[in-house]
Amino acid sequence: MRSTTKLPLADAPDLHLSPHPTPEECTEVWSATASSWKDSLTLPEYLEEAQYLTTVPLARNGGRTMWILMDKELPPGQRQVLCSCESFRKRALISDAKGIVKEGIVHGIASVFCPPKYRGRGYGTRLMKELAQVLYEWQSEYGKKSIGSVLYSDIGGKYYGRLGWLPNPQNGHFVFPPVKMENSTARPVLEAGLGKLCLRDEAMIRKAMATPSPSTTQNRVVILPDLDHILWHIRKEDFATDHIFGKRVEVKGAIAGSPGKQVWAVWVRRYYRHPGDHSDKDKEMQDGENVLYILRLAMEGDETANRPHEGSQPPPRTDAYTEQAAALQAVLRAAQAEATEWRLDHVHLWEPSPLVRRLLGQSSLDATWVERHECSIASALWFTKDAPVWVNNEYYAWC
């Protein structure tokens, strides 16, 4: 293996972006990224989790691809992994102002990483430029056009923006404190019920995307919150709770309200640190706070959902949503109670619809709006002629 003193230049023609590294190279990548992304796990547990997550929904059957930047003149076993990332194939819809809907693929980019000893040489830039070209045609054998690629930057919006992945205009979320609660009117959502809820949700999204949007000429794109997406997050959660608590979680969300006016949320727990670790250092670190993330919040009859948050539109008549307001509060109270039970520090709800935001403003819930400027900045490189509006930028789409 070459020494780091004789590294190739970032623009060297021998550098190549290769999919499907060897098992040994995968382990090399995961070992390097552990210090950044292992959360509360030990290194051996993190390596086990990384391998396990290649077998779960969204990742299996070619849904996930690992990419490495390396010298193509060197054989496996001798080549250096100069930079790496992974991509996920996501089902998506795109519609125009007339409501004409087409199915497509959006590639989600994750885990972009350059080992510290290789940083400052431009390898990350080379990897992303190569990836932008490859993903345009990647997995076209599935018969669906590639609409674009998205990523969630933890280094702000400028770096990836210069490479074509422009930051979403909005990157914010509500934060709720954990609250102990009894006698909730919300009913728990168990894993067995997720499939039906995802199908109902997709039907609502398809209907909304097929509704003309005459106030804008831009196309709309949505990544579908299908069962594979939800289960990818849940399997990651299962792995963590198995190791921390010795058991898996039964409740995956909550639902309230009568048919036609129901509100439901599906959530996942993320343990960035072990809940028993209360060191001063962890208290000072933002990423030391454990979070219950609401993957997807759905409200039947919400005419402001699944569409651009257009400021020129008249505000929704919140008095017409009295039952949904009560159901929304019940569901979010259940989330707060779940956070308490599972020793989490906060509940996060990403980018809810304008109606949900107004209902929250009129509720008794202790909700704080946070604009993200550095972490989890949703960014997109679209392969369409004109950049579409990305709707439903909720946590389920993160990976």
Side-chain angles (χ1 to χ4, degrees), residues 152-157 171-173 286-287 350 371-378 398:
Y152 290 85
S153 171
D154 285 334
I155 54 173
N171 284 283
H173 59 268
Q286 183 178 358
D287 60 0
W350 283 26
E371 290 282 352
R372 300 190 303 275
H373 299 288
E374 292 296 326
C375 297
S376 296
I377 304 301
W398 177 96

Side-chain angles (χ1 to χ4, degrees), residues 29-91:
V29 169
W30 296 331
S31 298
T33 62
S35 60
S36 298
W37 297 320
K38 67 181 180 65
D39 292 353
S40 59
L41 302 175
T42 64
L43 176 58
E45 290 169 347
Y46 175 71
L47 295 178
E48 182 184 351
E49 179 198 49
Q51 178 60 48
Y52 168 67
L53 289 178
T54 67
T55 68
V56 305
L58 194 66
R60 64 189 178 203
N61 299 325
R64 168 193 169 276
T65 306
M66 181 176 280
W67 304 86
I68 60 171
L69 184 70
M70 49 78 188
D71 189 333
K72 64 182 179 182
E73 298 300 318
L74 295 176
Q78 297 183 30
R79 58 192 188 185
Q80 297 158 303
V81 179
L82 302 172
C83 196
S84 62
C85 71
E86 55 188 354
S87 65
F88 292 84
R89 184 179 67 247
K90 301 166 178 276
R91 295 172 58 232

Side-chain angles (χ1 to χ4, degrees), residues 220-240:
R220 293 166 284 164
V221 169
V222 61
I223 297 171
L224 290 171
D226 56 22
L227 185 60
D228 281 0
H229 253 92
I230 301 302
L231 287 179
W232 185 87
H233 290 278
I234 285 176
R235 294 295 172 257
K236 182 176 175 63
E237 171 192 77
D238 286 343
F239 191 92

Side-chain angles (χ1 to χ4, degrees), residues 3 44 48 79 82 84 90 123 136 165 171 179-180 207 219 221 228 235-236 269 276 288 310 315 351 381:
S3 69
E48 182 184 351
R79 58 192 188 185
L82 302 172
S84 62
K90 301 166 178 276
Y123 294 142
Y136 183 76
W165 283 269
N171 284 283
V179 176
K180 188 174 182 180
K207 181 179 179 181
N219 290 347
V221 169
D228 281 0
R235 294 295 172 257
K236 182 176 175 63
R269 301 148 188 82
E310 298 161 347
E351 298 291 345
L381 171 63

Side-chain angles (χ1 to χ4, degrees), residues 78-301:
Q78 297 183 30
R79 58 192 188 185
Q80 297 158 303
V81 179
L82 302 172
C83 196
S84 62
C85 71
E86 55 188 354
S87 65
F88 292 84
R89 184 179 67 247
K90 301 166 178 276
R91 295 172 58 232
L93 302 176
I94 183 168
S95 68
D96 61 17
K98 296 179 181 179
I100 299 174
V101 180
K102 296 180 180 179
E103 300 201 17
I105 293 173
V106 168
H107 295 285
I109 302 169
S111 307
V112 180
F113 188 84
C114 185
K117 62 183 177 181
Y118 299 144
R119 291 176 186 170
R121 299 173 181 268
Y123 294 142
T125 298
R126 174 68 181 268
L127 177 140
M128 296 305 294
K129 287 182 176 180
E130 297 261 349
L131 192 64
Q133 298 298 318
V134 172
L135 289 183
Y136 183 76
E137 298 286 346
W138 186 243
Q139 297 182 328
S140 58
E141 67 271 17
Y142 286 87
K144 295 179 181 178
K145 184 178 180 181
S146 182
I147 301 170
S149 63
V150 300
L151 57 83
Y152 290 85
S153 171
D154 285 334
I155 54 173
K158 293 182 179 180
Y159 175 77
Y160 292 107
R162 289 195 298 268
L163 299 173
W165 283 269
L166 300 179
N168 209 43
Q170 294 181 327
N171 284 283
H173 59 268
F174 280 105
V175 178
F176 305 85
V179 176
K180 188 174 182 180
M181 183 187 62
E182 299 177 357
N183 302 321
S184 172
T185 58
R187 303 180 300 281
V189 172
L190 306 181
E191 185 169 325
L194 288 175
K196 289 184 178 179
L197 280 182
C198 287
L199 290 176
R200 285 174 60 188
D201 195 8
E202 182 170 334
M204 290 193 301
I205 291 172
R206 285 181 177 274
K207 181 179 179 181
M209 293 290 282
T211 302
S213 183
S215 62
T216 179
T217 59
Q218 284 183 286
N219 290 347
R220 293 166 284 164
V221 169
V222 61
I223 297 171
L224 290 171
D226 56 22
L227 185 60
D228 281 0
H229 253 92
I230 301 302
L231 287 179
W232 185 87
H233 290 278
I234 285 176
R235 294 295 172 257
K236 182 176 175 63
E237 171 192 77
D238 286 343
F239 191 92
T241 58
D242 261 342
H243 283 81
I244 295 172
F245 302 106
K247 61 179 180 179
R248 294 191 174 191
V249 179
E250 292 185 4
V251 177
K252 308 300 184 184
I255 186 169
S258 60
K261 297 183 178 180
Q262 286 186 324
V263 178
W264 66 84
V266 180
W267 55 60
V268 72
R269 301 148 188 82
R270 182 77 182 267
Y271 292 93
Y272 294 98
R273 57 166 174 77
H274 194 285
D277 186 352
H278 298 293
S279 66
D280 290 339
K281 181 180 179 181
D282 274 330
K283 290 179 182 178
E284 295 172 359
M285 293 173 59
Q286 183 178 358
D287 60 0
E289 297 179 337
N290 298 326
V291 179
L292 186 143
Y293 288 104
I294 295 178
L295 295 173
R296 170 70 173 152
L297 178 71
M299 176 183 289
E300 290 184 313

